[in-house]
Amino acid sequence: MRQIAIYGKGGIGKSTISANLAAGFAERGLNTWYVGCDPKADGSMTLLGGRKIPTFLEQKKEGGKDEDYSVADGFKGVKCVEIGGPLAGVGCAGRGIIVAVHALYKEFFDDRIDIIIYDVPGDVVCGGFAAPLREGFANEVFIVTSGEYLSLYAANNICRGLNNLGVDLGGMVCNSREVDDEESSVSEFAERIGSKLVGFVPRDRVVRDCENLGRTVIEGAPDSEQAKRFRRLGERILENKKKNIPSPMAPEDIRELLRKRTGST
Amino acid sequence: MNRVLHPRPNPIIAAMYTLRDLDVDLIILHGPAGCGFMASRRLEEAGVKVMTTGMQENDLIFGAEENLIDVLRTVDRDFTPKTIGIIGTCASMIIGENLDSAVRKAGIRAMVLPVDVHGCSGANTNGAIRVLEVAASKGLIPVHECERQKAMLTKATAIEKDRGITSRTYLEPSNGATKLAVALKITKALREGQTIAVTLNAKKETAYGFADIFRAVEMAKRKLGGRTVCIANLDRTVGLPRIRRYSEDILRDLGGSGITDIQITGGLDEYPIAGEKAADMLDAVDAEVRIIAGLPHSLPRLRRDDVLVTDQPRELRNYLDKGFQNSVGEISTHADVMSTHSIIDSELGNTIREVVEKDYR
């Protein structure tokens, strides 16, 4: 059972990439689970035709038993779980993730599953947000970034977290923001932290069009160039053998790298 | 679901006691210095070293893994324990401390049992269950033993909820009345040649305190006449080695007092099911006076005139409220038994002795 976690700066496209990866894996016949960890609980929507599902923690709050949670069946049988969380400004979202991940592991996950994708919120800010990386859970991380400074800064910070936790990075995914020299900048960054770029996803309006219809690109535009790119990214992730604990850079070195690449003064 | 307002034991404390039952040498509470303080003191009296990582405000904010690693290395070096238990607390578990990771990084020679548990994880017995599961996963106890004990603990929780201290919204602690009336009832029955059935259905170490009643009643019978029947959950072949030792000690002491004819209902960790067997045996005896010591509410079909002896002030209040007017409390028992290896005198036992010696009627 492969368990991967997708991290990256807020708004960078983790959920889009996670959902399309899940759809691609399911299409190949893999028994695939998608676990959304964002309290907004919207990550799985494109796998479920735009439907928002009740969250694991909502049910728990109402006194439901862990084992009674109904896992949603998405595109091509992808099993979808949204962890959910407290209202903004209340309780502790981190604790929610810890509790839910433990419960999922105990009640739902078994050896028949081929791959679990954890779509994790923004950054590894505390013990709770790192919960999917604990022993027995996800053991391989992919970081989504663009060539923008703040994205790489967040990616670097996540590497700091992985370094602290002793968790392996499988590689970086560049979700293009169409900045200059983007692919090679991210590629160089990846090498500098001791990793590699596993895929480049160019910006394409088909993604938004499909999202508006409540579909992944794999489902909504299966023959599009973008769908092929997501499938290829999935293959490279599946084939990925090399993973290692990254060594984060000094933030000023990231600026330096970008300045040189883009020729800005 | 019944809302229970009075304070009650939590899973952290139950986990610590279970580690003690497993004979671990040292327990580290990963949390603030005061967490579990009163229980820790008692456990130290029982010979377990209890340490705290003494979490502070900054540890809550920044995490305390380094602190735990440091404490693990320090205790390993200074006390060379064979086994160490780490118990999570509310504080460490909320912030998501990774106990396994700290153990791995500490790289010490002692066997470590990290127990992911906190005060909000439900019934206190859940703490005990988590320890048993960790112990089974490390091969310290067999899986079947873990499963047997889990079944007992689940049953114990159900009994508490049904008729024990979690069956009521609020119970005010009570020390009950003095033991004189009960002692007079017992001695009067013996003088009249009646039968007294003494039943021990006690939880683990508390048996050292309650077993004294067998000795006192036996002594009274020799002086006054009558007949006695002894029923006890003192099976020396059941449970963890430490718990079997308790039964061994108590049976040895009872034998020393000439009490050898004892009907055995089960082991000292089987009080939730041994109570049912005890009730069957009591039904078969038809005694005029029945004394039940330890956790009497584990027995079905109690009679209103039964003498119920317990050590928990709230449990005592519960019995008195339910109309068991012959209920008495051995309130200091739990503290007194922690470091003993032999039966200790009880208040009811001493009252019976005094009544007999001074011929009170």
Side-chain angles (χ1 to χ4, degrees), chain A residues 53-117:
Chain A
I53 52 172
T55 70
F56 184 84
L57 292 175
E58 252 165 36
Q59 177 202 280
K60 197 170 178 66
K61 189 183 172 194
E62 280 150 26
K65 285 194 179 140
D66 293 347
E67 64 267 31
D68 294 337
Y69 180 68
S70 102
V71 176
D73 273 315
F75 174 72
K76 298 276 184 197
V78 177
K79 300 284 183 193
C80 297
V81 176
E82 286 290 352
I83 286 180
L87 294 171
V90 180
C92 176
R95 181 72 207 157
I97 299 177
I98 295 173
V99 167
V101 168
H102 276 266
L104 288 171
Y105 205 79
K106 199 166 158 220
E107 302 292 344
F108 293 97
F109 297 163
D110 59 39
D111 294 340
R112 284 170 297 182
I113 299 174
D114 295 308
I115 189 157
I116 300 171
I117 300 174

Side-chain angles (χ1 to χ4, degrees), chain A residues 27-187:
Chain A
E27 201 179 45
R28 297 164 66 114
L30 295 176
N31 182 352
T32 308
W33 283 59
Y34 169 93
V35 180
C37 306
D38 192 314
K40 294 196 300 292
D42 56 356
S44 56
M45 280 170 94
T46 54
L47 289 163
L48 292 157
R51 187 160 62 95
K52 196 159 175 163
I53 52 172
T55 70
F56 184 84
L57 292 175
E58 252 165 36
Q59 177 202 280
K60 197 170 178 66
K61 189 183 172 194
E62 280 150 26
K65 285 194 179 140
D66 293 347
E67 64 267 31
D68 294 337
Y69 180 68
S70 102
V71 176
D73 273 315
F75 174 72
K76 298 276 184 197
V78 177
K79 300 284 183 193
C80 297
V81 176
E82 286 290 352
I83 286 180
L87 294 171
V90 180
C92 176
R95 181 72 207 157
I97 299 177
I98 295 173
V99 167
V101 168
H102 276 266
L104 288 171
Y105 205 79
K106 199 166 158 220
E107 302 292 344
F108 293 97
F109 297 163
D110 59 39
D111 294 340
R112 284 170 297 182
I113 299 174
D114 295 308
I115 189 157
I116 300 171
I117 300 174
Y118 293 91
D119 180 7
V120 193
D123 206 339
V124 190
V125 289
C126 72
F129 284 48
L133 302 177
R134 298 276 281 268
E135 272 98 327
F137 307 138
N139 40 26
E140 186 174 1
V141 171
F142 290 90
I143 300 175
V144 182
T145 183
S146 72
E148 289 176 317
Y149 173 72
L150 282 178
S151 250
L152 289 169
Y153 181 87
N156 195 51
N157 237 357
I158 292 157
C159 291
R160 248 181 245 281
L162 301 180
N163 201 283
N164 284 338
L165 297 163
V167 174
D168 287 329
L169 180 63
M172 316 269 312
V173 176
C174 181
N175 194 28
S176 176
R177 280 297 168 93
E178 295 179 340
V179 298
D180 291 346
D181 211 10
E182 195 167 26
E183 190 168 355
S184 62
S185 297
V186 175
S187 186

Side-chain angles (χ1 to χ4, degrees), chain B residues 181-348:
Chain B
V182 167
L184 286 171
K185 178 184 164 85
I186 292 164
T187 50
K188 179 169 180 282
L190 290 173
R191 249 185 229 107
E192 291 171 3
Q194 295 180 341
T195 301
I196 297 191
V198 186
T199 305
L200 177 77
N201 193 56
K203 182 177 176 181
K204 301 180 182 178
E205 69 276 7
T206 62
Y208 283 118
F210 295 119
D212 180 50
I213 298 163
F214 288 118
R215 301 195 299 194
V217 172
E218 175 70 16
M219 176 275 238
K221 180 187 77 176
R222 285 186 190 159
K223 293 249 169 116
L224 308 174
R227 198 169 79 90
T228 56
V229 174
C230 299
I231 300 167
N233 63 325
L234 290 172
D235 190 333
R236 59 184 115 199
T237 66
V238 175
L240 299 173
R242 184 186 184 98
I243 307 301
R244 297 182 194 196
R245 264 190 336 255
Y246 297 167
S247 289
E248 199 69 56
D249 288 345
I250 292 166
L251 289 168
R252 175 202 66 215
D253 287 358
L254 291 177
S257 302
I259 305 162
T260 49
D261 187 12
I262 302 168
Q263 301 182 44
I264 300 294
T265 54
L268 276 174
D269 61 9
E270 288 186 312
Y271 56 92
I273 56 164
E276 284 166 25
K277 282 192 198 160
D280 292 344
M281 290 175 183
L282 281 173
D283 287 347
V285 171
D286 192 28
E288 278 85 1
V289 175
R290 315 195 314 175
I291 305 170
I292 301 134
L295 293 163
H297 61 283
S298 303
L299 273 71
R301 303 186 298 281
L302 290 175
R303 296 196 315 224
R304 283 283 179 273
D305 65 343
D306 282 341
V307 175
L308 307 187
V309 191
T310 190
D311 62 337
Q312 301 291 336
R314 286 184 207 279
E315 213 76 90
L316 186 56
R317 163 73 64 189
N318 188 24
Y319 302 160
L320 291 168
D321 282 0
K322 285 180 174 161
F324 295 99
Q325 289 308 313
N326 294 318
S327 299
V328 291
E330 294 288 342
I331 307 305
S332 64
T333 300
H334 204 176
D336 294 342
V337 297
M338 288 307 279
S339 55
T340 191
H341 296 287
S342 53
I343 298 177
I344 59 164
D345 282 1
S346 66
E347 285 184 48
L348 178 59

Side-chain angles (χ1 to χ4, degrees), chain A residues 92 94-95 98 102 106 126-128 133-135 164-166, chain B residues 65 92-101 104-105 116 118:
Chain A
C92 176
R95 181 72 207 157
I98 295 173
H102 276 266
K106 199 166 158 220
C126 72
L133 302 177
R134 298 276 281 268
E135 272 98 327
N164 284 338
L165 297 163
Chain B
E65 190 180 78
S92 59
M93 294 299 98
I94 288 170
I95 66 170
E97 286 281 288
N98 190 339
L99 306 181
D100 296 291
S101 153
R104 205 178 48 242
K105 288 180 188 166
D116 211 314
H118 55 80

